[in-house]
Amino acid sequence: MKVVNNLTHSIDGMGIMKGRKAFTDDFAEKDTLIVKVMRSPYAYAKILKINDSEARKLEGIEMVLTHKDFKRIPFTRAGQGYPEPSPHDKFVLDEYVRYIGDEVLAVVGRSDEICDKALSLIKVEYEVLEPVLDFETAKDNPIVIHPENEIHEMFDIGFEPKRNIAASYAMEIGDVKKTLSECEYVIKETFYTQAQAHVMLEPHTVNARMDYQNRLCIYSATQTPFHVRRIISQGLEIPLSKIRVIKPRVGGGFGGKQAIHGEMLVAYVTYKTNKPAKMIYSRKEVFESSYSRHPMRIEMTLGADKDGKLKAINCEGLSDTGAYGEHALTVFMVTGSKVLPLYNKVDSVRFAGDIVYTNHTPAGAFRGYGAIQGNFALESAVDILCKKMKMDPILFRQINMMKEKETSPIFAIMGEGTAGTAMIMETCKLEECIEKGMELIGWKDKYPRIESKDKIRSVGMAIAMQGSGIPYIDMGSATIKLNDDGFYNLMVGATEIGQGSDTVLTQIAAEELMTTVDKVVIYSSDTDLTPFDVGAYASSTTYISGNAVWKAAKELKEKMIVEAARILKTNIENIDFDGKTFTNRVSGEKITLVDLSNQITYSHEQKQLQVTSSYVGHKSPPPFMAGFVEIEIDKATYEIDILHYVSVVDCGTTINPMLAKGQVDGAIVQGLGMAHFEEVIYGANGKLISSDLLNYKIPTRLDIKKLTTVFVDSYEETGPFGAKSVGEIGIDTPPAALANAVANALGVRITTLPITSEKIFKEMRRINDEK
Amino acid sequence: MKINLRINGQSRQFLIEPNEYLLDVLRKNDYLSVRRGCDNTSCGVCTVLIDNKPVPSCSVLAARCENKEITTVEGIEKEVEKLAKYFGELGADQCGYCNPSMALTVYSLKLENKNANIEEVKEYLVGNLCRCTGYVAQHEAIMKYLGDES
């Protein structure tokens, strides 16, 4: 392979760094209406009266929008395919506000300042209701967060709003209770994970205008332009054919931009007024009023026999979806489906739980969703079990984990929101990942700890798996067109959001067409111009969209060979093509691609050669990885210094090795953020206090000492040029690896994220007090 | 009120409100490489150089910049080409929303201390957050750029 798996610079890095017009707000109209939202100061309240007469009189104020302006059409902002596995429980604006930061009303005016002034003049009377702020008391609480009757599920997801249940799920293979009763060793532990924030640096941004065909044209910083178009159409009753959604460059998403945020209000304003409108979330709004990762409580019970064979897993979860149920079920299911198959040799496994409403900021999609929560619980629990059995945790994993050519019955039972798809692990290099990782971190010398006078150094590890798209649901497509002068256009619905998919998809096309990346010009994504793609989520782009591109390139090549055979007066079987020249193998006659393309464009038997292909996965081959962390803990303060993180990844072929490494490095640091740095703080009234970057600390460059990321040789037959996904897998291991390293250092087990010095200190004191 | 600025070597005069921030004035006047990230100087995305020093433009009143020399990334294109090449080589590009601001800060570091070691690079750039890359590839690229005498 010449292009794939070789050093290729990102195709757009140079232009982006030069500051060329690229991001959503760069395309906002100069003379535009500004849309600003009044946010609820109460965690739960009913709006009784809105006095906006003074605001409406202000010069420059175009409209004040309240719930009375909108027809009551419930929808979900989740940004999923249709029908969505999330409850339709949200109105554009509602008479109830369900968390601090929820939308009360919107003002539309000529400038930010006028909008701010209008907001200050509006008086809202509320009936303040008692909120549900503790997710462990939400289920069957007498306070019902969604009392309205119009809301509904699209199919059975266990939606019971009168009980504050957004969704629920249960499955059991074998008989967990019975298997556990027969086990020599049983451990049970409860874990808690926090509402991590995405902190993509570009805030949620959208702008709209009516174009010269009187269609609504929206630029949006979204991961899912086609879903955005559909949801706007359904929610505002605007014909789908009247809406165009353009996704320009996106400044990071990580799942946060899978959902609809300002799009509904901005689309409504422009459609109603025929004037351009825009909305940019403030950083506070991004924290408080978009969505976060689902906080969870996970009770993990493991049982093993006397030889250290894992026999049973019982995983009971409770997930807090906040005020609205975006991704309630799907995130929770991943906590089972992309975590528990890691240990596939058990006799029994059970996974069950509820996803409940609370009066907190909603939770939604976030890189590694469900998996990072489940991985923290399972991989921590494995080390706890090993300690009880006095067994080496690496050896335990080597005995019990998934191996190549094996499977797990969980794959067939659990999908994302629906039943799953049975599959064999055609590639699973976990054994090699562990071996290599041990070597790179120096496990044998450092495990479990090295103590000096003031410090303790230790290591910890965890293994993980992810998926590659959602089988039979996620669809990607690509159009490739041959131009005169022999270069190509590649149009994809796949959504570049900074992860490098435009570069990777260009490489796939270039490799198949035996050309160079500069001869393939990619464009993503625009609902008018590019073919459908579900968007950037579920680790699907390289595998699903990449397969669509590969297929389209192969088909275009066939079409070009047909033309070459016609021109060279022979059968297609006699044509050789090397990317530049077609040769008649029998006569030796040749025609270059440049000449062929010019001829069919301008002079003889003219036609446009173009192919559109689609791909739907029939399986979701998991990437695997082993993550190892080395830390140093101060004996007096328990300050944790993360010295080194080693990631050894099996993601099949790395289409672009440097960008793949970037995906893993970036995800590891986000995972370390969840593991150690990113504390989510709520006030007693339910107000999110960690709602800016001063109070919510993401890792800075000083916090990251050393990352070693390597890939093992692996070739997934069903992936494009052997690739699996790599976007999410990196985020899964840091919480458990860090918890295990802390346990190896001090003997304390931290079961709530983030793992901070304070928590270690308190736990050490508790242990000492008990002594 | 009116202010006079020199932006990337060009004299410009803008009509501004006294309470307007430099970031908003620049964006309104089509300096779109200067971007908003956080509103309170925590992220570094809005960085510009004022008299060659990196400053978050989201919290500098435009009115205080009278006769100052403002540099946005368009003003250092040759340097950006070099830095971007190393970013490409080392896979340090991801979303790039913060890259113009980072290029400006790195350029300013080069003016101050072109022999900076990696710890000094990290210290200097600590106000430029990145949520995509995990930083390591960026640092490798920046070290190569600082060592590039061309």
Side-chain angles (χ1 to χ4, degrees):
Chain A
M1 287 184 279
K2 286 187 171 155
V3 182
V4 159
N5 208 4
N6 276 296
L7 175 69
T8 304
H9 291 208
S10 76
I11 57 166
D12 36 36
M14 178 71 76
I16 297 282
M17 194 183 278
K18 283 183 174 178
R20 302 268 163 83
K21 202 166 162 170
F23 294 90
T24 299
D25 192 49
D26 302 349
F27 298 95
E29 306 293 324
K30 274 283 210 196
D31 186 17
T32 179
L33 293 171
I34 305 291
V35 181
K36 278 209 166 182
V37 172
M38 179 184 279
R39 302 283 176 189
S40 171
Y42 302 109
Y44 194 20
K46 189 176 181 183
I47 298 168
L48 298 177
K49 207 171 142 195
I50 295 171
N51 185 346
D52 57 9
S53 53
E54 290 303 307
R56 283 179 192 273
K57 279 186 228 155
L58 266 187
E59 191 177 323
I61 284 296
E62 186 90 12
M63 348 164 68
V64 177
L65 296 171
T66 73
H67 61 92
K68 289 184 180 140
D69 293 290
F70 293 92
K71 198 168 153 185
R72 285 182 71 76
I73 304 172
F75 66 101
T76 174
R77 299 175 295 185
Q80 298 164 307
Y82 189 81
E84 299 100 332
S86 296
H88 282 210
D89 59 4
K90 178 79 179 78
F91 301 92
V92 181
L93 293 171
D94 194 4
E95 62 181 328
Y96 284 93
V97 283
R98 296 185 176 81
Y99 67 97
I100 294 179
D102 204 354
E103 295 137 331
V104 178
L105 54 82
V107 296
V108 182
R110 293 262 146 233
S111 71
D112 271 302
E113 297 71 33
I114 293 162
C115 288
D116 287 338
K117 186 152 191 212
L119 286 172
S120 72
L121 292 172
I122 297 173
K123 300 279 170 278
V124 181
E125 262 178 54
Y126 298 93
E127 179 192 347
V128 179
L129 304 167
E130 198 188 324
V132 179
L133 297 174
D134 175 4
F135 78 117
E136 296 185 275
T137 64
K139 183 176 164 179
D140 294 323
N141 195 301
I143 302 163
V144 175
I145 294 167
H146 281 278
E148 64 278 17
N149 290 321
E150 303 95 325
I151 60 171
H152 58 86
E153 58 194 336
M154 301 301 283
F155 51 87
D156 183 17
I157 57 169
F159 179 58
E160 292 182 81
K162 299 288 184 280
R163 303 177 64 198
N164 289 332
I165 296 174
S168 61
Y169 184 79
M171 75 98 194
E172 183 164 3
I173 297 165
D175 184 339
V176 163
K177 217 172 169 182
K178 183 167 170 286
T179 313
L180 282 171
S181 72
E182 294 158 5
C183 283
E184 185 79 16
Y185 301 99
V186 175
I187 63 107
K188 183 177 179 182
E189 189 56 78
T190 304
F191 300 89
Y192 289 86
T193 64
Q194 83 276 35
Q196 188 183 22
H198 304 76
V199 197
M200 68 298 272
L201 282 179
E202 179 198 32
H204 301 296
T205 306
V206 55
N207 53 68
R209 75 283 295 134
M210 298 307 287
D211 70 12
Y212 70 98
Q213 294 181 17
N214 205 33
R215 293 170 74 234
L216 178 64
C217 176
I218 298 165
Y219 279 86
S220 173
T222 179
Q223 297 175 222
T224 56
F226 288 91
H227 295 337
V228 167
R229 179 178 67 170
R230 186 195 77 238
I231 295 164
I232 289 174
S233 167
Q234 290 170 346
L236 298 178
E237 295 186 314
I238 301 170
L240 200 63
S241 60
K242 285 270 180 206
I243 307 170
R244 175 181 184 185
V245 177
I246 300 171
K247 171 224 68 86
R249 184 69 174 195
V250 174
F254 316 118
K257 290 174 181 166
Q258 183 174 346
I260 288 259
H261 296 290
E263 285 91 341
M264 281 292 193
L265 285 169
V266 168
Y268 179 84
V269 168
T270 293
Y271 200 68
K272 211 64 185 173
T273 62
N274 283 316
K275 292 174 187 170
K278 79 169 189 179
M279 184 167 173
I280 303 175
Y281 274 40
S282 67
R283 183 53 60 182
K284 185 174 178 227
E285 285 179 306
V286 177
F287 273 109
E288 198 179 72
S289 306
S290 65
Y291 62 42
S292 69
R293 192 185 288 292
H294 287 81
M296 287 191 195
R297 179 189 75 199
I298 301 173
E299 279 175 13
M300 193 66 84
T301 311
L302 302 183
D305 69 10
K306 60 179 176 16
D307 302 322
K309 289 207 174 86
L310 189 65
K311 288 290 176 191
I313 306 174
N314 187 15
C315 180
E316 280 188 53
L318 180 70
S319 174
D320 178 0
T321 194
Y324 301 99
E326 287 98 5
H327 295 271
L329 178 62
T330 40
V331 168
F332 186 67
M333 285 184 78
V334 168
T335 301
S337 66
K338 287 179 187 159
V339 177
L340 305 180
L342 274 173
Y343 298 98
N344 61 331
K345 294 163 191 66
V346 293
D347 294 339
S348 310
V349 51
R350 182 171 165 272
F351 176 75
D354 298 312
I355 306 93
V356 293
Y357 288 116
T358 64
N359 294 106
H360 279 150
T361 295
F366 191 157
R367 188 184 221 170
Y369 77 31
I372 187 171
Q373 294 98 322
N375 194 280
F376 170 57
L378 179 64
E379 284 295 274
S380 295
V382 162
D383 268 35
I384 296 170
L385 177 65
C386 289
K387 190 178 174 188
K388 186 165 185 177
M389 295 190 300
K390 299 191 174 62
M391 185 169 176
D392 179 67
I394 299 256
L395 179 65
F396 178 89
R397 287 178 173 86
Q398 285 166 333
I399 291 171
N400 290 290
M401 72 191 181
M402 176 76 82
K403 299 198 175 70
E404 200 155 270
K405 307 295 176 199
E406 293 181 355
T407 187
S408 159
I410 294 172
F411 293 130
I413 294 170
M414 297 182 74
E416 276 193 55
T418 56
T421 306
M423 57 180 172
I424 305 280
M425 300 299 97
E426 297 298 343
T427 48
C428 172
K429 309 291 181 193
L430 262 180
E431 290 167 285
E432 210 181 321
C433 291
I434 289 182
E435 223 166 275
K436 212 165 201 169
M438 286 173 73
E439 201 182 295
L440 288 167
I441 201 89
W443 185 269
K444 284 187 177 139
D445 301 328
K446 294 170 185 167
Y447 174 79
R449 75 188 144 268
I450 300 168
E451 223 170 318
S452 62
K453 191 167 156 277
D454 304 320
K455 311 260 186 185
I456 303 174
R457 277 195 181 207
S458 71
V459 286
M461 63 88 64
I463 56 174
M465 59 178 288
Q466 198 67 44
S468 299
I470 308 169
Y472 299 101
I473 292 178
D474 286 350
M475 188 268 271
S477 40
T479 299
I480 308 187
K481 150 168 106 81
L482 173 68
N483 295 292
D484 47 330
D485 207 32
F487 77 101
Y488 308 91
N489 285 113
L490 170 60
M491 278 82 73
V492 292
T495 312
E496 166 73 69
I497 56 167
Q499 82 281 46
S501 68
D502 279 356
T503 300
V504 162
L505 297 177
T506 302
Q507 285 178 264
I508 290 171
E511 182 71 43
E512 184 57 34
L513 292 163
M514 296 178 282
T515 186
T516 46
V517 289
D518 59 306
K519 295 274 191 259
V520 180
V521 181
I522 192 165
Y523 180 66
S524 72
S525 25
D526 177 329
T527 57
D528 271 7
L529 302 182
T530 61
F532 183 88
D533 191 294
V534 287
Y537 58 82
S539 284
S540 63
T541 305
T542 300
Y543 184 75
I544 303 283
S545 312
N547 260 320
V549 170
W550 199 19
K551 219 169 126 192
K554 283 179 191 166
E555 286 168 24
L556 182 66
K557 203 160 77 180
E558 284 166 19
K559 284 196 169 201
M560 297 191 308
I561 286 172
V562 168
E563 294 304 315
R566 177 182 58 75
I567 294 165
L568 299 175
K569 300 191 179 62
T570 183
N571 298 324
I572 53 170
E573 296 79 40
N574 296 332
I575 296 289
D576 283 336
F577 177 53
D578 65 0
K580 282 182 178 161
T581 308
F582 301 89
T583 308
N584 179 340
R585 219 180 303 123
V586 182
S587 68
E589 275 183 286
K590 295 173 192 293
I591 183 168
T592 64
L593 174 64
V594 172
D595 288 345
L596 179 142
S597 65
N598 287 338
Q599 197 183 110
I600 63 170
T601 306
Y602 295 115
S603 51
H604 190 65
E605 295 231 9
Q606 292 94 321
K607 62 183 64 111
Q608 175 65 60
L609 290 192
Q610 174 168 310
V611 165
T612 299
S613 287
S614 306
Y615 186 83
V616 183
H618 301 298
K619 56 190 276 197
S620 177
F624 293 92
M625 77 167 278
F628 293 79
V629 69
E630 181 180 358
I631 59 170
E632 187 170 73
I633 301 184
D634 187 290
K635 280 185 183 171
T637 63
Y638 301 117
E639 191 184 353
I640 302 170
D641 200 0
I642 297 162
L643 302 176
H644 189 190
Y645 206 97
V646 170
S647 311
V648 188
V649 182
D650 162 16
C651 64
T653 303
T654 49
I655 303 284
N656 186 315
M658 297 312 279
L659 291 181
K661 181 174 169 293
Q663 283 300 297
V664 176
D665 283 0
I668 290 294
V669 172
Q670 279 180 356
L672 287 172
M674 172 116 167
H676 178 53
F677 297 93
E678 298 173 27
E679 204 145 21
V680 179
I681 308 159
Y682 279 103
N685 60 350
K687 184 171 175 52
L688 185 68
I689 292 167
S690 49
S691 64
D692 62 35
L693 285 164
L694 297 171
N695 290 294
Y696 186 87
K697 307 266 187 214
I698 65 168
T700 72
R701 55 189 78 236
L702 287 173
D703 299 315
I704 303 307
K705 303 278 174 353
K706 187 178 175 193
L707 304 178
T708 302
T709 297
V710 296
F711 298 93
V712 295
D713 273 343
S714 168
Y715 191 96
E716 168 59 40
E717 283 298 334
T718 63
F721 296 105
K724 299 190 275 188
S725 81
V726 71
E728 295 184 278
I729 179 81
I731 205 167
D732 297 336
T733 59
L738 183 66
N740 292 340
V742 169
N744 291 338
L746 299 166
V748 297
R749 173 58 59 178
I750 306 300
T751 54
T752 63
L753 294 181
I755 299 161
T756 58
S757 312
E758 290 84 347
K759 283 181 192 165
I760 297 172
F761 177 79
K762 281 183 189 161
E763 192 56 20
M764 291 297 282
R765 198 166 59 181
R766 191 186 65 78
I767 292 170
N768 286 333
D769 287 352
E770 275 175 15
K771 275 181 192 165
Chain B
M1 63 184 281
K2 271 186 197 157
I3 51 160
N4 297 288
L5 302 172
R6 277 183 69 76
I7 305 181
N8 301 328
Q10 273 191 312
S11 296
R12 299 289 309 261
Q13 192 176 66
F14 300 127
L15 202 60
I16 62 159
E17 296 293 328
N19 60 353
E20 262 188 298
Y21 287 104
L22 181 60
L23 168 63
D24 299 312
V25 172
L26 289 173
R27 278 199 75 81
K28 266 183 204 166
N29 289 285
D30 284 328
Y31 293 95
L32 297 174
S33 63
V34 190
R35 305 195 176 108
R36 180 181 296 282
C38 76
D39 321 317
N40 63 3
T41 74
S42 312
C43 78
V45 162
C46 64
T47 301
V48 296
L49 303 185
I50 301 181
D51 296 337
N52 278 334
K53 294 273 177 250
V55 178
S57 64
C58 74
S59 42
V60 176
L61 286 172
R64 296 193 59 180
C65 297
E66 178 72 19
N67 288 328
K68 297 264 202 253
E69 181 79 44
I70 313 285
T71 309
T72 70
V73 80
E74 289 86 350
I76 57 163
E77 183 150 344
K78 281 269 163 327
E79 295 297 319
V80 173
E81 272 172 19
K82 274 194 246 172
L83 182 62
K85 194 183 77 169
Y86 293 120
F87 265 58
E89 235 167 62
L90 290 151
D93 289 307
Q94 285 197 39
C95 86
Y97 192 71
C98 67
N99 280 11
S101 61
M102 190 149 22
L104 286 162
T105 314
V106 172
Y107 171 68
S108 163
L109 167 64
K110 191 177 176 181
L111 293 180
E112 266 182 49
N113 178 13
K114 77 181 172 71
N115 298 318
N117 63 32
I118 186 135
E119 289 311 314
E120 289 169 323
V121 167
K122 287 184 181 183
E123 287 279 352
Y124 199 89
L125 283 154
V126 72
N128 291 78
L129 292 179
C130 167
R131 189 60 155 170
C132 292
T133 63
Y135 302 114
V136 172
Q138 288 183 350
H139 297 151
E140 289 168 4
I142 292 165
M143 290 310 289
K144 281 204 164 185
Y145 164 78
L146 292 176
D148 185 341
E149 301 284 343
S150 67

